[in-house]
């Protein structure tokens, strides 16, 4: 079920393995990640929920990859899953990580995310 797969996704996130987390997430979406083995049992259906998306965004934070985090936010909205406070605070925290992060230390990016959060009434 989705809760069990979220635990696996979280393990990859906590290890800072964005590729592993992305692979599990792609399978949750029913896609087979290119060039990787299946991580979920064949035919399993585990649609992602807000926790799944937030965990993927957390993995991008741990890897310092704001771009992947913002892509996850866009997909989340596309799938009609409402972002929550954790979604936005994790992305805003990624902006503040520092050197080596695309969009790091960019107050404009942080404010844009904050304004988007307010616009979403989160």
């Amino acid at each position: 079920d989705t809760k069990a797969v979220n635990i696996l996704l979280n393990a990859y996130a906590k290890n800072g393995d964005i590729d592993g987390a992305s692979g599990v997430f792609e399978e949750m979406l029913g896609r087979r990640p290119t060039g990787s083995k299946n991580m979920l049992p064949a035919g399993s259906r585990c649609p992602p929920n807000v926790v799944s998306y937030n965990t993927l965004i957390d993995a991008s934070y741990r890897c310092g990859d704001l771009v992947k985090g913002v892509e996850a936010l866009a997909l989340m909205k596309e799938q009609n899953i409402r972002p929550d406070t954790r979604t936005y605070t994790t992305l805003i925290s990624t902006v503040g990580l520092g050197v080596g992060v695309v969009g790091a230390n960019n107050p404009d990016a942080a404010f844009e995310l904050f304004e988007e959060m307010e616009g979403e009434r989160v």
Side-chain angles (χ1 to χ4, degrees), residues 3 34 37 39 41-42 45 47 52 72 77 87:
K3 184 175 179 179
T34 308
K37 62 181 182 177
M39 296 180 195
R45 180 76 176 118
S52 311
K77 290 178 173 184
T87 309

Side-chain angles (χ1 to χ4, degrees), residues 5-54:
V5 177
N6 282 343
I7 293 168
L8 177 62
L9 188 61
N10 191 42
Y12 281 105
K14 284 187 176 181
N15 282 311
D17 184 351
I18 189 69
D19 294 330
S22 295
V24 170
F25 194 82
E26 286 294 313
E27 286 191 55
M28 291 178 83
L29 294 170
R31 305 176 191 157
R32 181 180 171 131
T34 308
S36 70
K37 62 181 182 177
N38 284 344
M39 296 180 195
L40 303 180
S44 62
R45 180 76 176 118
C46 302
N49 58 21
V50 68
V51 174
S52 311
Y53 281 94
N54 284 345

